[in-house]
């Protein structure tokens, strides 16, 4: 079976929120089940977490502004549900660490390898990355996010996230401390960018989840 579940290496990636979210959540809960056993907790606790996620989705339907938001809500509330069960059993620090690891690691290598292959094979790696970014902004993020684009030319693509749906959902569910987990997930594709090899660099000095006023996603050619 291909490890490139998202089809990144093919160079014509178009987000499929339903497929992508299902892949991510299955991997998340599978990793959680294994981690729970390491902490002497029953692995089938994830069944209760999934049920709680469904309850939270029903209670947060009013936050859905478009189809991408429907899937982003599922993904974000999975973190909330897991955290609710882990907090009284493991404490805050460990609970967040377990949620973070289970969310980031399972598909991390596949995303990194797929992104790297896409950039390596693209005639213009910078343009390929910009196309993926714009596609995700439209199909994966949608109206739940607010984007500013101060620069968009042949040498730079700078997009600033002024409103983050993930953060809004987590704040609404009294779990803003989980927003950095969503931010950290991006490292899976960021680490695939090799400026000397691909001819562009990526800069994100802060995020809303870590206390910034916005999230700068800045792609700039180095050549």
């Amino acid at each position: 079976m291909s490890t490139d579940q998202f089809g990144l290496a093919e160079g014509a990636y178009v987000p499929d929120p339903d497929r992508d979210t299902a892949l991510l959540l299955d991997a998340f809960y599978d990793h959680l089940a294994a981690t729970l056993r390491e902490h002497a907790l029953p692995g089938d606790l994830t069944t209760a977490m999934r049920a709680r996620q469904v309850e939270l989705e029903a209670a947060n339907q009013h936050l859905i502004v478009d189809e991408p938001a429907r899937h982003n809500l599922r993904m974000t509330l999975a973190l909330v549900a897991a955290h609710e069960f882990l907090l009284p059993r493991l404490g805050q620090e460990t609970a967040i660490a377990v949620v973070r690891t289970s969310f980031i690691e399972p598909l991390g290598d596949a995303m990194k390898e797929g992104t790297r292959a896409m950039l390596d094979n693209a005639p213009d790696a910078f343009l390929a990355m910009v196309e993926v970014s714009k596609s995700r902004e439209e199909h994966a993020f949608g109206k739940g996010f607010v984007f500013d684009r101060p620069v968009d030319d042949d040498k730079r693509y700078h997009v600033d996230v002024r409103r983050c749906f993930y953060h809004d959902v987590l704040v609404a569910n009294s779990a803003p401390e989980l927003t950095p987990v969503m931010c950290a997930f991006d490292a899976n594709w960021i680490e695939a960018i090799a400026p000397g090899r691909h001819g562009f660099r990526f800069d994100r000095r802060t995020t809303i989840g870590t206390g910034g006023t916005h999230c700068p996603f800045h792609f700039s050619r180095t050549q």
Side-chain angles (χ1 to χ4, degrees), residues 111-133:
M111 286 189 65
K112 193 178 303 179
E113 291 168 8
T115 303
R116 184 179 295 117
M118 178 195 72
L119 296 176
D120 286 348
N121 296 323
D124 187 323
F126 170 77
L127 289 182
M129 196 75 236
V130 170
E131 288 175 4
V132 168
S133 181

PDB file of all heavy atoms in Angstrom, residues 111-133:
ATOM      1  N   MET A 111       3.354  12.489   5.207  1.00  0.00           N
ATOM      2  CA  MET A 111       3.164  13.854   4.715  1.00  0.00           C
ATOM      3  C   MET A 111       4.491  14.478   4.303  1.00  0.00           C
ATOM      4  O   MET A 111       4.597  15.148   3.271  1.00  0.00           O
ATOM      5  CB  MET A 111       2.494  14.710   5.788  1.00  0.00           C
ATOM      6  CG  MET A 111       1.019  14.424   5.983  1.00  0.00           C
ATOM      7  SD  MET A 111       0.262  15.651   7.073  1.00  0.00           S
ATOM      8  CE  MET A 111       0.429  17.128   6.087  1.00  0.00           C
ATOM      9  N   LYS A 112       5.500  14.252   5.125  1.00  0.00           N
ATOM     10  CA  LYS A 112       6.817  14.825   4.846  1.00  0.00           C
ATOM     11  C   LYS A 112       7.399  14.254   3.555  1.00  0.00           C
ATOM     12  O   LYS A 112       7.891  14.988   2.689  1.00  0.00           O
ATOM     13  CB  LYS A 112       7.749  14.556   6.023  1.00  0.00           C
ATOM     14  CG  LYS A 112       9.046  15.347   6.010  1.00  0.00           C
ATOM     15  CD  LYS A 112       9.881  15.035   7.245  1.00  0.00           C
ATOM     16  CE  LYS A 112       9.106  15.305   8.511  1.00  0.00           C
ATOM     17  NZ  LYS A 112       9.893  14.993   9.740  1.00  0.00           N
ATOM     18  N   GLU A 113       7.315  12.937   3.422  1.00  0.00           N
ATOM     19  CA  GLU A 113       7.863  12.285   2.234  1.00  0.00           C
ATOM     20  C   GLU A 113       7.081  12.680   0.979  1.00  0.00           C
ATOM     21  O   GLU A 113       7.665  12.900  -0.085  1.00  0.00           O
ATOM     22  CB  GLU A 113       7.842  10.776   2.428  1.00  0.00           C
ATOM     23  CG  GLU A 113       8.830  10.287   3.480  1.00  0.00           C
ATOM     24  CD  GLU A 113       8.604   8.831   3.860  1.00  0.00           C
ATOM     25  OE1 GLU A 113       7.773   8.179   3.192  1.00  0.00           O
ATOM     26  OE2 GLU A 113       9.257   8.360   4.817  1.00  0.00           O
ATOM     27  N   GLY A 114       5.757  12.764   1.095  1.00  0.00           N
ATOM     28  CA  GLY A 114       4.945  13.142  -0.048  1.00  0.00           C
ATOM     29  C   GLY A 114       5.212  14.566  -0.486  1.00  0.00           C
ATOM     30  O   GLY A 114       5.320  14.856  -1.687  1.00  0.00           O
ATOM     31  N   THR A 115       5.333  15.476   0.488  1.00  0.00           N
ATOM     32  CA  THR A 115       5.619  16.875   0.173  1.00  0.00           C
ATOM     33  C   THR A 115       6.992  17.013  -0.456  1.00  0.00           C
ATOM     34  O   THR A 115       7.172  17.733  -1.450  1.00  0.00           O
ATOM     35  CB  THR A 115       5.534  17.743   1.440  1.00  0.00           C
ATOM     36  OG1 THR A 115       4.243  17.608   2.036  1.00  0.00           O
ATOM     37  CG2 THR A 115       5.786  19.215   1.109  1.00  0.00           C
ATOM     38  N   ARG A 116       7.973  16.310   0.107  1.00  0.00           N
ATOM     39  CA  ARG A 116       9.330  16.376  -0.434  1.00  0.00           C
ATOM     40  C   ARG A 116       9.370  15.841  -1.871  1.00  0.00           C
ATOM     41  O   ARG A 116      10.012  16.425  -2.748  1.00  0.00           O
ATOM     42  CB  ARG A 116      10.297  15.596   0.448  1.00  0.00           C
ATOM     43  CG  ARG A 116      11.749  15.712  -0.010  1.00  0.00           C
ATOM     44  CD  ARG A 116      12.697  14.959   0.898  1.00  0.00           C
ATOM     45  NE  ARG A 116      12.717  15.535   2.235  1.00  0.00           N
ATOM     46  CZ  ARG A 116      12.335  14.884   3.330  1.00  0.00           C
ATOM     47  NH1 ARG A 116      11.877  13.645   3.236  1.00  0.00           N
ATOM     48  NH2 ARG A 116      12.409  15.467   4.506  1.00  0.00           N
ATOM     49  N   ALA A 117       8.673  14.743  -2.122  1.00  0.00           N
ATOM     50  CA  ALA A 117       8.645  14.174  -3.473  1.00  0.00           C
ATOM     51  C   ALA A 117       7.981  15.141  -4.453  1.00  0.00           C
ATOM     52  O   ALA A 117       8.444  15.300  -5.596  1.00  0.00           O
ATOM     53  CB  ALA A 117       7.905  12.840  -3.465  1.00  0.00           C
ATOM     54  N   MET A 118       6.910  15.785  -4.019  1.00  0.00           N
ATOM     55  CA  MET A 118       6.239  16.767  -4.869  1.00  0.00           C
ATOM     56  C   MET A 118       7.182  17.902  -5.243  1.00  0.00           C
ATOM     57  O   MET A 118       7.290  18.289  -6.415  1.00  0.00           O
ATOM     58  CB  MET A 118       5.014  17.330  -4.158  1.00  0.00           C
ATOM     59  CG  MET A 118       4.279  18.411  -4.944  1.00  0.00           C
ATOM     60  SD  MET A 118       3.118  19.350  -3.918  1.00  0.00           S
ATOM     61  CE  MET A 118       4.240  20.333  -2.909  1.00  0.00           C
ATOM     62  N   LEU A 119       7.894  18.422  -4.255  1.00  0.00           N
ATOM     63  CA  LEU A 119       8.807  19.541  -4.497  1.00  0.00           C
ATOM     64  C   LEU A 119      10.000  19.106  -5.335  1.00  0.00           C
ATOM     65  O   LEU A 119      10.453  19.843  -6.225  1.00  0.00           O
ATOM     66  CB  LEU A 119       9.266  20.129  -3.162  1.00  0.00           C
ATOM     67  CG  LEU A 119       8.173  20.749  -2.295  1.00  0.00           C
ATOM     68  CD1 LEU A 119       8.748  21.205  -0.953  1.00  0.00           C
ATOM     69  CD2 LEU A 119       7.502  21.921  -2.998  1.00  0.00           C
ATOM     70  N   ASP A 120      10.514  17.915  -5.061  1.00  0.00           N
ATOM     71  CA  ASP A 120      11.666  17.421  -5.828  1.00  0.00           C
ATOM     72  C   ASP A 120      11.333  17.238  -7.296  1.00  0.00           C
ATOM     73  O   ASP A 120      12.178  17.460  -8.173  1.00  0.00           O
ATOM     74  CB  ASP A 120      12.144  16.080  -5.253  1.00  0.00           C
ATOM     75  CG  ASP A 120      12.890  16.226  -3.929  1.00  0.00           C
ATOM     76  OD1 ASP A 120      13.236  17.369  -3.564  1.00  0.00           O
ATOM     77  OD2 ASP A 120      13.122  15.191  -3.274  1.00  0.00           O
ATOM     78  N   ASN A 121      10.104  16.826  -7.592  1.00  0.00           N
ATOM     79  CA  ASN A 121       9.721  16.502  -8.965  1.00  0.00           C
ATOM     80  C   ASN A 121       9.086  17.660  -9.722  1.00  0.00           C
ATOM     81  O   ASN A 121       8.869  17.559 -10.937  1.00  0.00           O
ATOM     82  CB  ASN A 121       8.755  15.313  -8.963  1.00  0.00           C
ATOM     83  CG  ASN A 121       9.401  14.046  -8.439  1.00  0.00           C
ATOM     84  OD1 ASN A 121      10.569  13.782  -8.692  1.00  0.00           O
ATOM     85  ND2 ASN A 121       8.649  13.245  -7.694  1.00  0.00           N
ATOM     86  N   ALA A 122       8.793  18.738  -9.027  1.00  0.00           N
ATOM     87  CA  ALA A 122       8.118  19.867  -9.677  1.00  0.00           C
ATOM     88  C   ALA A 122       9.100  20.662 -10.535  1.00  0.00           C
ATOM     89  O   ALA A 122      10.243  20.884 -10.133  1.00  0.00           O
ATOM     90  CB  ALA A 122       7.500  20.787  -8.627  1.00  0.00           C
ATOM     91  N   PRO A 123       8.672  21.128 -11.715  1.00  0.00           N
ATOM     92  CA  PRO A 123       9.518  22.000 -12.533  1.00  0.00           C
ATOM     93  C   PRO A 123       9.890  23.281 -11.788  1.00  0.00           C
ATOM     94  O   PRO A 123      10.986  23.823 -11.957  1.00  0.00           O
ATOM     95  CB  PRO A 123       8.647  22.298 -13.758  1.00  0.00           C
ATOM     96  CG  PRO A 123       7.679  21.163 -13.824  1.00  0.00           C
ATOM     97  CD  PRO A 123       7.415  20.787 -12.398  1.00  0.00           C
ATOM     98  N   ASP A 124       8.969  23.769 -10.953  1.00  0.00           N
ATOM     99  CA  ASP A 124       9.202  24.963 -10.138  1.00  0.00           C
ATOM    100  C   ASP A 124       8.608  24.671  -8.763  1.00  0.00           C
ATOM    101  O   ASP A 124       7.394  24.725  -8.574  1.00  0.00           O
ATOM    102  CB  ASP A 124       8.536  26.186 -10.767  1.00  0.00           C
ATOM    103  CG  ASP A 124       8.874  27.490 -10.060  1.00  0.00           C
ATOM    104  OD1 ASP A 124       8.982  27.479  -8.821  1.00  0.00           O
ATOM    105  OD2 ASP A 124       9.031  28.525 -10.744  1.00  0.00           O
ATOM    106  N   ALA A 125       9.477  24.338  -7.818  1.00  0.00           N
ATOM    107  CA  ALA A 125       9.020  23.925  -6.492  1.00  0.00           C
ATOM    108  C   ALA A 125       8.245  25.039  -5.789  1.00  0.00           C
ATOM    109  O   ALA A 125       7.248  24.772  -5.100  1.00  0.00           O
ATOM    110  CB  ALA A 125      10.203  23.491  -5.637  1.00  0.00           C
ATOM    111  N   PHE A 126       8.689  26.276  -5.954  1.00  0.00           N
ATOM    112  CA  PHE A 126       7.999  27.403  -5.326  1.00  0.00           C
ATOM    113  C   PHE A 126       6.557  27.493  -5.823  1.00  0.00           C
ATOM    114  O   PHE A 126       5.616  27.583  -5.024  1.00  0.00           O
ATOM    115  CB  PHE A 126       8.750  28.702  -5.611  1.00  0.00           C
ATOM    116  CG  PHE A 126       7.998  29.947  -5.222  1.00  0.00           C
ATOM    117  CD1 PHE A 126       7.913  30.340  -3.900  1.00  0.00           C
ATOM    118  CD2 PHE A 126       7.359  30.734  -6.188  1.00  0.00           C
ATOM    119  CE1 PHE A 126       7.221  31.496  -3.536  1.00  0.00           C
ATOM    120  CE2 PHE A 126       6.662  31.881  -5.838  1.00  0.00           C
ATOM    121  CZ  PHE A 126       6.595  32.260  -4.505  1.00  0.00           C
ATOM    122  N   LEU A 127       6.370  27.469  -7.132  1.00  0.00           N
ATOM    123  CA  LEU A 127       5.023  27.558  -7.681  1.00  0.00           C
ATOM    124  C   LEU A 127       4.168  26.363  -7.276  1.00  0.00           C
ATOM    125  O   LEU A 127       2.976  26.509  -7.007  1.00  0.00           O
ATOM    126  CB  LEU A 127       5.080  27.668  -9.204  1.00  0.00           C
ATOM    127  CG  LEU A 127       5.607  28.994  -9.775  1.00  0.00           C
ATOM    128  CD1 LEU A 127       5.561  28.972 -11.306  1.00  0.00           C
ATOM    129  CD2 LEU A 127       4.788  30.174  -9.243  1.00  0.00           C
ATOM    130  N   ALA A 128       4.778  25.189  -7.204  1.00  0.00           N
ATOM    131  CA  ALA A 128       4.037  23.999  -6.785  1.00  0.00           C
ATOM    132  C   ALA A 128       3.533  24.160  -5.353  1.00  0.00           C
ATOM    133  O   ALA A 128       2.383  23.816  -5.035  1.00  0.00           O
ATOM    134  CB  ALA A 128       4.929  22.764  -6.893  1.00  0.00           C
ATOM    135  N   MET A 129       4.380  24.696  -4.471  1.00  0.00           N
ATOM    136  CA  MET A 129       3.987  24.885  -3.081  1.00  0.00           C
ATOM    137  C   MET A 129       2.898  25.948  -2.957  1.00  0.00           C
ATOM    138  O   MET A 129       1.956  25.799  -2.169  1.00  0.00           O
ATOM    139  CB  MET A 129       5.208  25.301  -2.256  1.00  0.00           C
ATOM    140  CG  MET A 129       5.020  25.168  -0.755  1.00  0.00           C
ATOM    141  SD  MET A 129       5.096  23.452  -0.186  1.00  0.00           S
ATOM    142  CE  MET A 129       3.530  23.312   0.661  1.00  0.00           C
ATOM    143  N   VAL A 130       3.008  27.002  -3.743  1.00  0.00           N
ATOM    144  CA  VAL A 130       1.991  28.055  -3.718  1.00  0.00           C
ATOM    145  C   VAL A 130       0.652  27.504  -4.184  1.00  0.00           C
ATOM    146  O   VAL A 130      -0.400  27.809  -3.605  1.00  0.00           O
ATOM    147  CB  VAL A 130       2.429  29.254  -4.591  1.00  0.00           C
ATOM    148  CG1 VAL A 130       1.275  30.235  -4.761  1.00  0.00           C
ATOM    149  CG2 VAL A 130       3.626  29.962  -3.961  1.00  0.00           C
ATOM    150  N   GLU A 131       0.661  26.682  -5.211  1.00  0.00           N
ATOM    151  CA  GLU A 131      -0.578  26.092  -5.716  1.00  0.00           C
ATOM    152  C   GLU A 131      -1.238  25.210  -4.660  1.00  0.00           C
ATOM    153  O   GLU A 131      -2.457  25.232  -4.486  1.00  0.00           O
ATOM    154  CB  GLU A 131      -0.296  25.289  -6.980  1.00  0.00           C
ATOM    155  CG  GLU A 131       0.013  26.152  -8.197  1.00  0.00           C
ATOM    156  CD  GLU A 131       0.413  25.326  -9.401  1.00  0.00           C
ATOM    157  OE1 GLU A 131       0.384  24.078  -9.311  1.00  0.00           O
ATOM    158  OE2 GLU A 131       0.766  25.925 -10.440  1.00  0.00           O
ATOM    159  N   VAL A 132      -0.429  24.430  -3.945  1.00  0.00           N
ATOM    160  CA  VAL A 132      -0.970  23.593  -2.877  1.00  0.00           C
ATOM    161  C   VAL A 132      -1.565  24.463  -1.781  1.00  0.00           C
ATOM    162  O   VAL A 132      -2.656  24.187  -1.264  1.00  0.00           O
ATOM    163  CB  VAL A 132       0.115  22.668  -2.300  1.00  0.00           C
ATOM    164  CG1 VAL A 132      -0.364  22.017  -0.999  1.00  0.00           C
ATOM    165  CG2 VAL A 132       0.474  21.590  -3.307  1.00  0.00           C
ATOM    166  N   SER A 133      -0.850  25.525  -1.407  1.00  0.00           N
ATOM    167  CA  SER A 133      -1.334  26.421  -0.358  1.00  0.00           C
ATOM    168  C   SER A 133      -2.675  27.039  -0.738  1.00  0.00           C
ATOM    169  O   SER A 133      -3.624  27.037   0.055  1.00  0.00           O
ATOM    170  CB  SER A 133      -0.303  27.521  -0.091  1.00  0.00           C
ATOM    171  OG  SER A 133      -0.754  28.385   0.937  1.00  0.00           O
TER     172      SER A 133
END
